[in-house]
Amino acid sequence: MRRFLALGILLGVALALPAHMGALPGAFEANRKKVEAALAAAGYPVEKVLDVGLTIRNRGYAFPPLLLLMLKPTEDQRAVVRTDPRTGTLIPVTVALMQDPEKNATLFSVVDWKSFEGYFDLDEEARAKARASFEAIQEALSGLAPLQYVPLPVEGALRAPYVGGKVTATEDLEEALLLTETGYQDRNMNVVGRTDFGGVYQLWLCSAEIARAFFGHMFPIASRAPCRAVIWERDGAVYMVASDPAIEPSKVDPKAFPADLMQAFMEVLKMNGGVLEDLGVPAE
C-alpha cells in the first residue's frame, strides 16, 4: 500500500488545500463517535455519511477507512448559499476522517473557509455568518485534538474553489439540472447526494478512481469532497458552477506530483470543462 500522508509529515507541493487537520489516537470507529458527538454538541450534527474508503475498496484497491461526514446546514449557512450560490461548493461542510495506515490514529480535516471567502460576493452579514459557522466547527474539532493548518505551498497558485457561470444551452432550470447530472455521469462521476437550499440546487459528485488518487496522496483534500455542482436561477437566467481544485494549472510542475495524482487533477479540469461546454457556459 502506498505511504499515506500523516500529521507532521512535510507536505511539499499540494493540490486543493488549504485546510485544517488533526489526529486522534485510538480506534477509528471510537474516534468517529467522538468527532460526531463534538460536532453535534456545537450545533452541527452529521446529516449524511459517505463511505469513500469502502467504495474504493469495492473497486479492488487496498485503502484505509475513509468517511466524509456531511454536516447538516444551519439556517445561517443556508442563507449564505442563497446569497451567493457559489458558496455551495463549500457548504454543507465536510469533515473528513481517515484511519492512518501506519499509526493507531484517525486523521480528520476541514476546509479553511477564510482562504476562500474572498472569492464570494457576500454582504457583511452573510460573510460574518459563514465565518462564524466555520470557526465553530473548527473549535469543536480542536477540542478533540490540536488542529494543524495545511497551507497551499505554491505561491500565487490559489484560485476560486468553483468554475462556471451563466448557462446558455437552456433557459430552463430543470433541464439545466438534468444536463449537469447526465454530463457528469457520462464522464464517470456519480451523483451520490443532493441538497436543496431553497431555489439553489446542489448535486454531490464522486469518482472512486479520482478519490483514490487525491485522498491517497494528500488526505486534507477530502475536506472539499464530494465534488459539488450548484445550479440556480436568478433574474431570468440559469447559472451553474462546479467544484474546482482551486489551483492554477499553469503554476503546477507535473514532475512534482505522482503520476496518478497529476492525471486525476487534469481529469477533473477536463471533466468540468466538458460539462460546462455542454451547458453552453462561456469559457473564461
Side-chain angles (χ1 to χ4, degrees):
M1 181 183 295
R2 176 191 303 118
R3 181 181 179 87
F4 290 85
L5 175 66
L7 194 63
I9 293 177
L10 294 177
L11 295 175
V13 178
L15 289 170
L17 305 179
H20 299 274
M21 186 171 71
L24 277 172
F28 184 77
E29 281 302 320
N31 287 332
R32 171 188 174 179
K33 292 178 181 178
K34 292 177 183 177
V35 170
E36 290 187 354
L39 292 167
Y44 296 90
V46 174
E47 185 169 46
K48 185 170 183 178
V49 178
L50 301 180
D51 194 336
V52 178
L54 177 61
T55 300
I56 295 172
R57 291 193 296 276
N58 284 342
R59 299 295 193 277
Y61 300 104
F63 207 86
L66 169 62
L67 300 177
L68 304 181
L69 308 182
M70 309 302 295
L71 307 189
K72 183 177 181 179
T74 63
E75 286 305 313
D76 280 352
Q77 289 177 331
R78 294 176 70 86
V80 169
V81 175
R82 289 192 295 270
T83 299
D84 185 344
R86 297 173 300 179
T87 59
T89 51
L90 299 182
I91 298 171
V93 180
T94 298
V95 174
L97 303 179
M98 187 175 81
Q99 184 69 17
D100 187 328
E102 298 180 346
K103 300 178 181 178
N104 183 31
T106 302
L107 306 176
F108 58 90
S109 181
V110 65
V111 71
D112 180 55
W113 165 262
K114 290 182 180 179
S115 295
F116 295 110
E117 67 176 7
Y119 293 104
F120 302 113
D121 185 14
L122 299 172
D123 57 31
E124 287 303 315
E125 181 180 3
R127 191 178 302 276
K129 287 179 178 179
R131 184 175 292 189
S133 66
F134 277 87
E135 288 177 349
I137 292 167
Q138 287 178 223
E139 184 176 352
L141 294 173
S142 65
L144 298 171
L147 291 179
Q148 173 189 348
Y149 175 64
V150 185
L152 180 72
V154 184
E155 186 176 356
L158 190 67
R159 69 181 191 181
Y162 56 81
V163 60
K166 184 178 178 180
V167 173
T168 64
T170 178
E171 296 180 351
D172 183 79
L173 180 62
E174 291 297 325
E175 186 176 6
L177 276 164
L178 180 61
L179 288 172
T180 301
E181 180 172 345
T182 57
Y184 278 106
Q185 287 180 334
D186 289 346
R187 294 167 174 84
N188 298 317
M189 184 75 90
N190 297 318
V191 177
V192 295
R194 293 173 171 82
T195 305
D196 179 356
F197 288 95
V200 178
Y201 301 94
Q202 180 189 76
L203 302 177
W204 301 358
L205 307 161
C206 187
S207 161
E209 292 291 340
I210 292 174
R212 181 176 69 93
F214 272 83
F215 307 156
H217 287 289
M218 296 173 180
F219 162 69
I221 297 173
S223 65
R224 292 196 54 222
C227 294
R228 297 106 188 261
V230 188
I231 304 97
W232 71 100
E233 185 177 6
R234 185 161 293 176
D235 298 328
V238 177
Y239 297 84
M240 180 278 213
V241 296
S243 298
D244 184 82
I247 185 170
E248 177 56 45
S250 63
K251 300 286 186 178
V252 175
D253 178 4
K255 298 178 181 178
F257 292 86
D260 59 340
L261 178 59
M262 194 65 209
Q263 180 180 353
F265 174 52
M266 299 309 296
E267 283 180 3
V268 171
L269 298 180
K270 182 179 179 181
M271 186 183 310
N272 281 342
V275 175
L276 293 174
E277 184 177 356
D278 293 346
L279 290 165
V281 176
E284 295 182 353

